[in-house]
Amino acid sequence: MAGSAPLTLGSLTIETPVVLAPMAGITNAAYRRLCAEQGAGLYVCEMITSRGLVEGDETTRKMLVFDDLETVRSVQLYGTDPVYVGKAVEILCADYGVAHVDLNFGCPVPKVTRKGGGGALPWKRGLLADILAAAVGAAAAYDVPVTMKTRKGLDDDHLTYLDAGRIAQESGAAAIALHGRTVEQAYSGQADWDAIGQLVESVDIPVLGNGDIWEASDALRMVAETGVDGVVVGRGCLGRPWLFRDLAAAFRGDDVATLPNLGEVAHMMRRHAELLSEHMGEERGCKEFRKHVGWYLKGFRAGGELRHSLALVESLATLDTLLADLDPDEPFPTSELGTPRGRQGAPRKRVVLPEGWLDDTDGRDLHVREDTTELTGG
Ligand SMILES: Cc1cc2nc3c(=O)[nH]c(=O)nc-3n(C[C@H](O)[C@H](O)[C@H](O)COP(=O)(O)O)c2cc1C
């Protein structure tokens, strides 16, 4: 494939049409920097709540940290109330210099959907329109594009994505990202790229496709099959930040598959822990790093005891000692290529919704209570 077109989000041009998916607990400043060191694209901050931001919640503020080299600040907001969302967008633009705001309408976690938030919200078309309008209105003064990220719907009988696309477009959103699964599916099964293609057909704003991009070749295939303007990559880059190098190459028209040996992976692990430590302090940084160990070592022979010790690492010095025990020459396990990583799980037995949620599809008069510290994400 020859070089691709850049992704245009309102005033923002992203030369390589690749977006790091917001992932709660993962896409903090350190991880975004690590990925950006490898490739090119837009790197979205983990989700923060509108109410938390507006009320000055400490946890929320601590999540709004950006790396010095992060020239384009992109944040995903969660919200269910147009007033809070509008105010939160204003704060992000005015106080944090954010250049892109994404709205989360895809979270499948029962705790969130039970209150009508995340993936449950697009069922209420009127409320969705009001939230988008509030966000777009607040961002307009700063020329900051607002996008939304959603799923196909609640379940196969309650699809919302085509309405969401229309509403996003009418509300002035700069793009819509679609994860080709329903809330009911959570992360199970396969993402439905046909639905992504249908959304592309039905709107004029850019569509970003999301779901099951494990390799750079998958991203190109998604573009070819669906006509999306860009791709959003989540689990595929867990323990593999170099996927962004392959993606950047692929969208340039080069075929690159980075296959680091274990020594190079260890180097990347060290860099990740180091960046986390820089941003959070060594103790917390090392604790945060632990969750990534299994992803980095997936498919490598590295012994159980060593993995176990790495997953308990408390300092960079211990990390160095442990990483030195890995066989640097072990080649990359190519059997891992193209296979799922990160959470997959089973479909939900049912989608937990507020009582009577399905009875009407407007919801304009609803005052859906927002949590200050909703940290579960997508
Ligand atoms: C650990 C984790 C946290 C996530 N947190 C969020 C989030 O905060 N906001 C969101 O919109 N999606 C979130 N997601 C969903 C991803 O952004 C993405 O839509 C999903 O993983 C499908 O893409 P993939 O197949 O490339 O992983 C999360 C996913 C994972 C695995």
Side-chain angles (χ1 to χ4, degrees):
M1 174 178 157
S4 64
L7 170 65
T8 306
L9 301 177
S11 57
L12 201 60
T13 304
I14 316 292
E15 288 303 329
T16 303
V18 172
V19 180
L20 166 65
M23 288 186 279
I26 309 280
T27 58
N28 49 34
Y31 190 68
R32 298 195 303 274
R33 162 80 185 258
L34 186 74
C35 293
E37 285 177 355
Q38 296 296 311
L42 181 66
Y43 301 91
V44 188
C45 175
E46 52 192 334
M47 183 192 91
I48 61 150
T49 70
S50 302
R51 192 171 151 219
L53 184 57
V54 171
E55 295 183 351
D57 171 67
E58 192 59 22
T59 316
T60 308
R61 278 178 188 274
K62 282 196 181 138
M63 287 166 78
L64 275 174
V65 173
F66 300 92
D67 193 272
D68 289 343
L69 293 185
E70 210 162 8
T71 48
V72 176
R73 296 180 171 191
S74 164
V75 173
Q76 187 185 55
L77 262 189
Y78 167 85
T80 54
D81 181 324
V83 176
Y84 275 115
V85 171
K87 284 186 186 162
V89 170
E90 168 76 29
I91 295 171
L92 286 177
C93 296
D95 301 349
Y96 290 89
V98 162
H100 164 237
V101 177
D102 181 54
L103 298 174
N104 179 331
F105 296 118
C107 182
V109 176
K111 207 174 103 198
V112 170
T113 59
R114 175 177 288 123
K115 293 183 209 117
L121 199 131
W123 182 256
K124 301 293 191 190
R125 276 73 166 174
L127 181 59
L128 176 66
D130 282 356
I131 294 174
L132 280 164
V136 170
Y142 301 88
D143 207 13
V144 167
V146 173
T147 59
M148 69 171 280
K149 179 165 174 286
T150 192
R151 288 178 176 248
K152 282 171 64 185
L154 300 169
D155 55 36
D156 284 341
D157 296 327
H158 300 87
L159 297 174
T160 51
Y161 65 105
L162 294 177
D163 280 351
R166 176 181 51 77
I167 294 163
Q169 180 167 317
E170 286 168 3
S171 309
I176 176 167
L178 179 62
H179 176 191
R181 287 185 173 82
T182 60
V183 173
E184 184 183 44
Q185 284 177 289
Y187 294 89
S188 68
Q190 259 200 322
D192 174 2
W193 290 8
D194 289 343
I196 296 173
Q198 282 161 13
L199 181 60
V200 171
E201 290 285 305
S202 77
V203 294
D204 297 324
I205 55 173
V207 173
L208 302 171
N210 174 231
D212 300 351
I213 292 176
W214 309 113
E215 305 298 333
S217 55
D218 294 329
L220 294 189
R221 193 163 53 81
M222 181 188 272
V223 172
E225 288 178 13
T226 66
V228 285
D229 301 270
V231 297
V232 181
V233 178
R235 294 164 298 166
C237 66
L238 294 174
R240 295 174 78 209
W242 55 85
L243 179 57
F244 286 95
R245 193 190 309 170
D246 296 358
L247 285 161
F251 281 101
R252 269 197 320 266
D254 300 332
D255 186 10
V256 176
T258 304
L259 300 174
N261 61 24
L262 191 48
E264 290 163 323
V265 171
H267 191 74
M268 188 66 77
M269 293 169 82
R270 176 59 160 85
R271 178 73 184 138
H272 193 168
E274 188 179 292
L275 284 167
L276 282 166
S277 302
E278 269 172 31
H279 279 285
M280 309 176 162
E282 187 167 341
E283 194 184 336
R284 226 194 103 209
C286 287
K287 276 200 179 122
E288 277 293 319
F289 177 71
R290 295 172 181 177
K291 68 173 87 146
H292 297 270
V293 168
W295 291 322
Y296 278 110
L297 296 182
K298 192 165 182 279
F300 281 105
R301 278 199 311 271
E305 210 173 304
L306 185 53
R307 281 171 191 258
H308 184 70
S309 307
L310 279 165
L312 294 173
V313 71
E314 277 180 338
S315 70
L316 291 174
T318 322
L319 179 65
D320 286 339
T321 310
L322 294 169
L323 291 179
D325 279 345
L326 294 170
D327 170 9
D329 297 323
E330 188 181 339
F332 189 84
T334 48
S335 57
E336 287 298 322
L337 294 176
T339 62
R341 43 181 53 232
R343 56 170 80 142
Q344 289 144 61
R348 310 228 178 278
K349 289 202 181 67
R350 67 187 181 93
V351 179
V352 186
L353 297 167
E355 216 180 296
W357 190 250
L358 296 177
D359 296 350
D360 110 294
T361 57
D362 185 59
R364 271 205 160 88
D365 302 325
L366 280 176
H367 290 284
V368 182
R369 180 87 179 143
E370 281 191 18
D371 268 352
T372 324
T373 51
E374 185 47 67
L375 300 172
T376 35

